[in-house]
Amino acid sequence: MIILPMGGFPLIPATLATMAWMTSLSLDGCDFSRLTGPAVTTLTESTIYPFVEVGFNSYRVPSFYASIESWESRYSDPCVPYSYLNLSSNMRTTDQEQLSAEQGQGPYEIQEDINYFNPTEGFFWSLGAMSHTIATIIGGSAALFLWVPCLFMVYTERAWRIGGLQLILASFFHLCSLVWFFNQLCMEKGSTCHWYYGSYSCIASFTLYVLSSTLVFLKYPNPIVVKMVRDSVAEEFEMYQRRNGRPNYNRTVSDPTVATEMDNESTFDMQSDVSHTSAPFINPVNTQQRRQQQPNIHVR
C-alpha cells in the first residue's frame, strides 16, 4: 500500500474541510445568537434578564455575579430546551386544578393561554435549523471523502470533482442557515439578535469550505504510480537515444539554424541506416559496358 497515492496536495483541501466540519460541530445548541430587547421577556417570562443566548433547539439565561456586579453567561450553565415552553401553559393549568380541588370547588375550566408563544414554529427558524443540520452532514461526508486519496485509494478526475461539489453544497447550506435571523423572535419590535459564537462559526465554516472546493477544482493531483511509470519510460527512452547516438527531440529548440542542423543530421542518419540495411544497388548499364570491354577468349 502506498501512502499518499496522489501526492501531498490532497492533504490541503482535506484539512480545510475537516477544520470547517469541526467548527460547525463546536456549537452547543444554545449559542447561535444573543437576544436583547422585549423578546427576552417574551421568551423567559421574566423582566430581570438583560439578554438571552439562543440557539436552534434551546436557550441559556445569564446569571448575576456579585463579585463583578454584572450579568454573565458561562458555557457551563445549562441550556433550557424550547420544549419547556410547550409544557409551561399545561403546568400552570394543572396547578390551578389541584388548588381548586383542595378548596372543594368545582372542576376548573381549562382556558387557552393567549400569551403562549413558541419561536420554533416559524418558517425562517425551521429553515435555518434544517440548513445547519444538512450542512454538517454533507460537510462531514465531504471531509471524509477527501481523506481517502490521502491514505490508500486513487480517485479519477471525475470522482475528485464530486468531492468539490459536496464542499460547495456544504458551504451553500451554511449560508442558508443565516436566514434564521429573520425569525419572529428576532424581528419583534425593539428586539435585536446579535451575532454570537454559533453564527460566527457558520461564517468560518463557509469560508473554509469555499477555499477547499476552490483548491479541488483548480488542480487534479496525478497519481504517484502514473508519475513513476511516466518518468521511468522517459528516462529509458533518453538512455536509448544516447546509446544509439540519436538527438534528443524532446528538448525545445528556439534557434532555426540549430533546428535545421538537427533535421539534416536526422536525414543523414536515416540515409546511412538505409545504406547499411539494404542490399547493394547494381546498375545494369555499367555491367553491359564492362562485358563489351573484356576480350573474347576462345578455347580450342
Side-chain angles (χ1 to χ4, degrees):
M1 184 177 65
I2 300 177
I3 303 299
L4 298 177
M6 299 183 70
F9 180 77
L11 287 173
I12 302 176
T15 303
L16 292 175
T18 304
M19 292 171 60
W21 183 43
M22 297 301 293
T23 303
S24 63
L25 289 176
S26 61
L27 280 70
D28 64 353
C30 55
D31 57 352
F32 193 78
S33 175
R34 174 169 285 189
L35 177 65
T36 58
V40 175
T41 304
T42 305
L43 181 62
T44 61
E45 298 180 353
S46 176
T47 59
I48 63 174
Y49 301 114
F51 64 88
V52 172
E53 295 177 1
V54 293
F56 297 118
N57 303 314
S58 57
Y59 66 96
R60 180 187 290 116
V61 295
S63 301
F64 183 79
Y65 294 88
S67 58
I68 58 178
E69 296 183 355
S70 65
W71 291 87
E72 297 290 338
S73 179
R74 306 291 175 85
Y75 285 103
S76 58
D77 296 339
C79 295
V80 181
Y82 294 115
S83 59
Y84 173 78
L85 299 176
N86 298 333
L87 300 175
S88 60
S89 59
N90 296 332
M91 291 174 61
R92 288 195 298 269
T93 302
T94 304
D95 293 340
Q96 292 177 356
E97 288 181 349
Q98 293 178 355
L99 181 61
S100 300
E102 292 176 357
Q103 295 178 354
Q105 299 177 1
Y108 179 79
E109 295 182 0
I110 301 177
Q111 298 179 357
E112 294 182 358
D113 189 358
I114 60 175
N115 295 323
Y116 170 71
F117 174 72
N118 187 0
T120 62
E121 293 179 351
F123 170 75
F124 292 106
W125 191 295
S126 301
L127 180 61
M130 182 178 60
S131 298
H132 185 269
T133 303
I134 296 175
T136 303
I137 296 174
I138 296 179
S141 63
L144 295 176
F145 185 84
L146 292 179
W147 276 109
V148 172
C150 297
L151 299 177
F152 57 89
M153 186 179 292
V154 175
Y155 282 161
T156 62
E157 188 172 358
R158 179 178 296 180
W160 179 255
R161 298 289 186 263
I162 290 176
L165 291 176
Q166 291 179 350
L167 295 172
I168 291 178
L169 286 176
S171 61
F172 170 74
F173 282 108
H174 268 299
L175 195 63
C176 289
S177 65
L178 296 178
V179 302
W180 177 89
F181 283 94
F182 294 99
N183 64 79
Q184 54 183 343
L185 193 66
C186 297
M187 300 301 292
E188 186 175 343
K189 186 176 180 180
S191 301
T192 305
C193 285
H194 304 274
W195 287 53
Y196 201 54
Y197 176 80
S199 51
Y200 286 122
S201 298
C202 285
I203 294 297
S205 299
F206 168 78
T207 305
L208 291 173
Y209 280 135
V210 169
L211 289 176
S212 181
S213 62
T214 302
L215 293 176
V216 169
F217 283 103
L218 281 180
K219 181 180 179 181
Y220 169 70
N222 293 321
I224 291 181
V225 177
V226 177
K227 291 181 181 179
M228 294 171 60
V229 173
R230 186 181 302 168
D231 296 341
S232 177
V233 171
E235 185 178 356
E236 291 179 359
F237 183 70
E238 290 179 0
M239 292 177 61
Y240 173 78
Q241 286 181 334
R242 286 195 229 100
R243 188 168 53 249
N244 294 272
R246 299 293 190 272
N248 188 4
Y249 297 103
N250 294 330
R251 60 186 179 184
T252 304
V253 180
S254 59
D255 191 357
T257 59
V258 177
T260 305
E261 293 177 358
M262 293 178 61
D263 293 338
N264 294 334
E265 291 178 359
S266 62
T267 305
F268 177 77
D269 292 339
M270 293 175 62
Q271 292 176 355
S272 62
D273 291 342
V274 172
S275 64
H276 285 294
T277 57
S278 60
F281 179 74
I282 301 175
N283 192 350
V285 178
N286 295 334
T287 305
Q288 186 68 22
Q289 290 177 358
R290 281 196 223 100
R291 289 179 180 177
Q292 292 176 0
Q293 290 176 0
Q294 291 177 359
N296 296 327
I297 301 175
H298 301 278
V299 179
R300 293 181 181 182

PDB file of all heavy atoms in Angstrom, residues 60-76:
ATOM      1  N   ARG A  60     -30.123  29.848  26.744  1.00  0.00           N
ATOM      2  CA  ARG A  60     -29.397  29.913  28.016  1.00  0.00           C
ATOM      3  C   ARG A  60     -29.607  31.299  28.632  1.00  0.00           C
ATOM      4  O   ARG A  60     -29.384  32.303  27.964  1.00  0.00           O
ATOM      5  CB  ARG A  60     -27.900  29.657  27.809  1.00  0.00           C
ATOM      6  CG  ARG A  60     -27.090  29.711  29.096  1.00  0.00           C
ATOM      7  CD  ARG A  60     -25.604  29.626  28.834  1.00  0.00           C
ATOM      8  NE  ARG A  60     -25.189  28.306  28.381  1.00  0.00           N
ATOM      9  CZ  ARG A  60     -24.672  28.042  27.184  1.00  0.00           C
ATOM     10  NH1 ARG A  60     -24.492  29.026  26.316  1.00  0.00           N
ATOM     11  NH2 ARG A  60     -24.318  26.810  26.864  1.00  0.00           N
ATOM     12  N   VAL A  61     -30.009  31.308  29.895  1.00  0.00           N
ATOM     13  CA  VAL A  61     -30.209  32.572  30.601  1.00  0.00           C
ATOM     14  C   VAL A  61     -28.938  32.920  31.374  1.00  0.00           C
ATOM     15  O   VAL A  61     -28.222  32.034  31.856  1.00  0.00           O
ATOM     16  CB  VAL A  61     -31.415  32.491  31.566  1.00  0.00           C
ATOM     17  CG1 VAL A  61     -32.699  32.300  30.785  1.00  0.00           C
ATOM     18  CG2 VAL A  61     -31.225  31.352  32.569  1.00  0.00           C
ATOM     19  N   PRO A  62     -28.615  34.191  31.506  1.00  0.00           N
ATOM     20  CA  PRO A  62     -27.402  34.572  32.228  1.00  0.00           C
ATOM     21  C   PRO A  62     -27.606  34.535  33.741  1.00  0.00           C
ATOM     22  O   PRO A  62     -28.729  34.391  34.239  1.00  0.00           O
ATOM     23  CB  PRO A  62     -27.144  35.999  31.732  1.00  0.00           C
ATOM     24  CG  PRO A  62     -28.502  36.525  31.413  1.00  0.00           C
ATOM     25  CD  PRO A  62     -29.302  35.355  30.908  1.00  0.00           C
ATOM     26  N   SER A  63     -26.515  34.670  34.440  1.00  0.00           N
ATOM     27  CA  SER A  63     -26.517  34.710  35.907  1.00  0.00           C
ATOM     28  C   SER A  63     -25.833  35.993  36.369  1.00  0.00           C
ATOM     29  O   SER A  63     -24.906  36.478  35.704  1.00  0.00           O
ATOM     30  CB  SER A  63     -25.799  33.488  36.505  1.00  0.00           C
ATOM     31  OG  SER A  63     -26.415  32.287  36.074  1.00  0.00           O
ATOM     32  N   PHE A  64     -26.310  36.513  37.506  1.00  0.00           N
ATOM     33  CA  PHE A  64     -25.711  37.736  38.050  1.00  0.00           C
ATOM     34  C   PHE A  64     -24.592  37.371  39.017  1.00  0.00           C
ATOM     35  O   PHE A  64     -24.791  36.603  39.962  1.00  0.00           O
ATOM     36  CB  PHE A  64     -26.779  38.569  38.772  1.00  0.00           C
ATOM     37  CG  PHE A  64     -26.239  39.866  39.292  1.00  0.00           C
ATOM     38  CD1 PHE A  64     -26.050  40.948  38.441  1.00  0.00           C
ATOM     39  CD2 PHE A  64     -25.921  40.006  40.651  1.00  0.00           C
ATOM     40  CE1 PHE A  64     -25.564  42.141  38.928  1.00  0.00           C
ATOM     41  CE2 PHE A  64     -25.427  41.197  41.128  1.00  0.00           C
ATOM     42  CZ  PHE A  64     -25.245  42.274  40.268  1.00  0.00           C
ATOM     43  N   TYR A  65     -23.416  37.930  38.756  1.00  0.00           N
ATOM     44  CA  TYR A  65     -22.246  37.685  39.595  1.00  0.00           C
ATOM     45  C   TYR A  65     -21.953  38.953  40.395  1.00  0.00           C
ATOM     46  O   TYR A  65     -21.606  40.001  39.824  1.00  0.00           O
ATOM     47  CB  TYR A  65     -21.042  37.298  38.739  1.00  0.00           C
ATOM     48  CG  TYR A  65     -21.214  35.960  38.042  1.00  0.00           C
ATOM     49  CD1 TYR A  65     -21.819  35.873  36.789  1.00  0.00           C
ATOM     50  CD2 TYR A  65     -20.782  34.799  38.663  1.00  0.00           C
ATOM     51  CE1 TYR A  65     -21.982  34.651  36.168  1.00  0.00           C
ATOM     52  CE2 TYR A  65     -20.940  33.564  38.040  1.00  0.00           C
ATOM     53  CZ  TYR A  65     -21.542  33.494  36.802  1.00  0.00           C
ATOM     54  OH  TYR A  65     -21.714  32.283  36.182  1.00  0.00           O
ATOM     55  N   ALA A  66     -22.131  38.830  41.720  1.00  0.00           N
ATOM     56  CA  ALA A  66     -21.967  39.990  42.591  1.00  0.00           C
ATOM     57  C   ALA A  66     -20.517  40.457  42.662  1.00  0.00           C
ATOM     58  O   ALA A  66     -20.248  41.633  42.913  1.00  0.00           O
ATOM     59  CB  ALA A  66     -22.469  39.661  43.998  1.00  0.00           C
ATOM     60  N   SER A  67     -19.584  39.548  42.438  1.00  0.00           N
ATOM     61  CA  SER A  67     -18.176  39.927  42.528  1.00  0.00           C
ATOM     62  C   SER A  67     -17.785  40.931  41.451  1.00  0.00           C
ATOM     63  O   SER A  67     -16.969  41.824  41.681  1.00  0.00           O
ATOM     64  CB  SER A  67     -17.291  38.688  42.433  1.00  0.00           C
ATOM     65  OG  SER A  67     -17.542  38.004  41.212  1.00  0.00           O
ATOM     66  N   ILE A  68     -18.390  40.781  40.288  1.00  0.00           N
ATOM     67  CA  ILE A  68     -18.098  41.721  39.198  1.00  0.00           C
ATOM     68  C   ILE A  68     -19.289  42.640  38.901  1.00  0.00           C
ATOM     69  O   ILE A  68     -19.186  43.514  38.037  1.00  0.00           O
ATOM     70  CB  ILE A  68     -17.695  40.963  37.934  1.00  0.00           C
ATOM     71  CG1 ILE A  68     -18.791  39.986  37.501  1.00  0.00           C
ATOM     72  CG2 ILE A  68     -16.380  40.229  38.152  1.00  0.00           C
ATOM     73  CD1 ILE A  68     -18.483  39.234  36.211  1.00  0.00           C
ATOM     74  N   GLU A  69     -20.409  42.405  39.620  1.00  0.00           N
ATOM     75  CA  GLU A  69     -21.609  43.227  39.501  1.00  0.00           C
ATOM     76  C   GLU A  69     -22.081  43.343  38.048  1.00  0.00           C
ATOM     77  O   GLU A  69     -22.289  44.438  37.518  1.00  0.00           O
ATOM     78  CB  GLU A  69     -21.372  44.626  40.082  1.00  0.00           C
ATOM     79  CG  GLU A  69     -21.093  44.635  41.579  1.00  0.00           C
ATOM     80  CD  GLU A  69     -20.930  46.039  42.130  1.00  0.00           C
ATOM     81  OE1 GLU A  69     -20.947  46.994  41.316  1.00  0.00           O
ATOM     82  OE2 GLU A  69     -20.796  46.184  43.359  1.00  0.00           O
ATOM     83  N   SER A  70     -22.242  42.211  37.436  1.00  0.00           N
ATOM     84  CA  SER A  70     -22.723  42.188  36.050  1.00  0.00           C
ATOM     85  C   SER A  70     -23.341  40.830  35.753  1.00  0.00           C
ATOM     86  O   SER A  70     -23.097  39.845  36.457  1.00  0.00           O
ATOM     87  CB  SER A  70     -21.584  42.479  35.065  1.00  0.00           C
ATOM     88  OG  SER A  70     -20.628  41.456  35.106  1.00  0.00           O
ATOM     89  N   TRP A  71     -24.155  40.829  34.687  1.00  0.00           N
ATOM     90  CA  TRP A  71     -24.768  39.592  34.215  1.00  0.00           C
ATOM     91  C   TRP A  71     -23.815  38.911  33.242  1.00  0.00           C
ATOM     92  O   TRP A  71     -23.355  39.519  32.276  1.00  0.00           O
ATOM     93  CB  TRP A  71     -26.100  39.889  33.536  1.00  0.00           C
ATOM     94  CG  TRP A  71     -27.175  40.356  34.480  1.00  0.00           C
ATOM     95  CD1 TRP A  71     -27.414  41.623  34.889  1.00  0.00           C
ATOM     96  CD2 TRP A  71     -28.136  39.531  35.119  1.00  0.00           C
ATOM     97  NE1 TRP A  71     -28.470  41.662  35.755  1.00  0.00           N
ATOM     98  CE2 TRP A  71     -28.951  40.382  35.910  1.00  0.00           C
ATOM     99  CE3 TRP A  71     -28.426  38.160  35.119  1.00  0.00           C
ATOM    100  CZ2 TRP A  71     -29.999  39.916  36.681  1.00  0.00           C
ATOM    101  CZ3 TRP A  71     -29.483  37.689  35.881  1.00  0.00           C
ATOM    102  CH2 TRP A  71     -30.252  38.564  36.649  1.00  0.00           C
ATOM    103  N   GLU A  72     -23.517  37.677  33.494  1.00  0.00           N
ATOM    104  CA  GLU A  72     -22.608  36.912  32.646  1.00  0.00           C
ATOM    105  C   GLU A  72     -23.228  35.563  32.321  1.00  0.00           C
ATOM    106  O   GLU A  72     -24.020  35.025  33.095  1.00  0.00           O
ATOM    107  CB  GLU A  72     -21.246  36.700  33.326  1.00  0.00           C
ATOM    108  CG  GLU A  72     -20.478  37.982  33.601  1.00  0.00           C
ATOM    109  CD  GLU A  72     -19.973  38.638  32.337  1.00  0.00           C
ATOM    110  OE1 GLU A  72     -19.844  37.915  31.317  1.00  0.00           O
ATOM    111  OE2 GLU A  72     -19.707  39.860  32.348  1.00  0.00           O
ATOM    112  N   SER A  73     -22.815  35.068  31.171  1.00  0.00           N
ATOM    113  CA  SER A  73     -23.267  33.741  30.747  1.00  0.00           C
ATOM    114  C   SER A  73     -22.046  32.855  30.583  1.00  0.00           C
ATOM    115  O   SER A  73     -21.101  33.208  29.865  1.00  0.00           O
ATOM    116  CB  SER A  73     -24.044  33.823  29.428  1.00  0.00           C
ATOM    117  OG  SER A  73     -24.461  32.552  29.007  1.00  0.00           O
ATOM    118  N   ARG A  74     -22.052  31.731  31.244  1.00  0.00           N
ATOM    119  CA  ARG A  74     -20.938  30.788  31.172  1.00  0.00           C
ATOM    120  C   ARG A  74     -21.372  29.556  30.382  1.00  0.00           C
ATOM    121  O   ARG A  74     -22.538  29.153  30.422  1.00  0.00           O
ATOM    122  CB  ARG A  74     -20.501  30.373  32.589  1.00  0.00           C
ATOM    123  CG  ARG A  74     -20.174  31.547  33.498  1.00  0.00           C
ATOM    124  CD  ARG A  74     -18.915  32.271  33.068  1.00  0.00           C
ATOM    125  NE  ARG A  74     -18.653  33.467  33.844  1.00  0.00           N
ATOM    126  CZ  ARG A  74     -18.009  33.482  35.002  1.00  0.00           C
ATOM    127  NH1 ARG A  74     -17.591  32.344  35.550  1.00  0.00           N
ATOM    128  NH2 ARG A  74     -17.781  34.630  35.626  1.00  0.00           N
ATOM    129  N   TYR A  75     -20.413  28.972  29.697  1.00  0.00           N
ATOM    130  CA  TYR A  75     -20.736  27.775  28.920  1.00  0.00           C
ATOM    131  C   TYR A  75     -21.042  26.580  29.802  1.00  0.00           C
ATOM    132  O   TYR A  75     -21.596  25.586  29.326  1.00  0.00           O
ATOM    133  CB  TYR A  75     -19.580  27.446  27.978  1.00  0.00           C
ATOM    134  CG  TYR A  75     -19.503  28.370  26.788  1.00  0.00           C
ATOM    135  CD1 TYR A  75     -18.568  29.391  26.741  1.00  0.00           C
ATOM    136  CD2 TYR A  75     -20.384  28.235  25.724  1.00  0.00           C
ATOM    137  CE1 TYR A  75     -18.496  30.249  25.662  1.00  0.00           C
ATOM    138  CE2 TYR A  75     -20.340  29.090  24.647  1.00  0.00           C
ATOM    139  CZ  TYR A  75     -19.382  30.094  24.615  1.00  0.00           C
ATOM    140  OH  TYR A  75     -19.332  30.947  23.553  1.00  0.00           O
ATOM    141  N   SER A  76     -20.683  26.661  31.059  1.00  0.00           N
ATOM    142  CA  SER A  76     -21.040  25.584  31.987  1.00  0.00           C
ATOM    143  C   SER A  76     -22.492  25.672  32.434  1.00  0.00           C
ATOM    144  O   SER A  76     -23.028  24.700  32.999  1.00  0.00           O
ATOM    145  CB  SER A  76     -20.125  25.620  33.213  1.00  0.00           C
ATOM    146  OG  SER A  76     -20.202  26.881  33.864  1.00  0.00           O
TER     147      SER A  76
END
